[in-house]
Amino acid sequence: AKLRNELLVEQAGGSGGAGGGEGFDVARLGDARVALIGFPSVGKSTLLGTLTSTQSEAAAYEFTTLTCIPGTLQYKGSKIQVLDLPGIIEGAAHGKGRGREVIAVARSADAILIVLDAGKEG
């Protein structure tokens, strides 16, 4: 499986070691996969950029991230793939706001990190 993943990354052009693929179809890479889940504009893209040095657009408006953005975190000799997913909204389980795609990617992860903005009211 490890060799298969390396071959997939090479065929996809390397993509900075984050995992090949486009949209929500991102090749699994590394020893573990962590999905960042949260409401829109809570800091998922900023966290991805800080942890992995991957450039994921962050702006002052909601739904800046429209697809899955992968990054790779090196930790004590392990490669951990971190996935920045679009903000999840009410009704996501029924397909609202690309919710089904977001949930499908999250289900393929080894861990889910729920990102919250503690200073946000509402």
Side-chain angles (χ1 to χ4, degrees), residues 39-64:
F39 293 119
S41 301
V42 294
K44 297 180 299 293
S45 297
T46 302
L47 181 59
L48 176 77
T50 301
L51 293 175
T52 68
S53 301
T54 300
Q55 296 299 315
S56 181
E57 185 179 350
Y61 55 90
E62 293 186 346
F63 299 107
T64 308

Side-chain angles (χ1 to χ4, degrees), residues 24 33-37 83 85 88 100-112:
F24 290 93
R33 178 182 255 194
V34 177
L36 302 178
I37 293 281
L83 304 175
L85 296 171
I88 198 137
R100 287 190 176 143
E101 292 93 338
V102 171
I103 292 169
V105 172
R107 290 184 70 180
S108 74
D110 298 306
I112 296 173

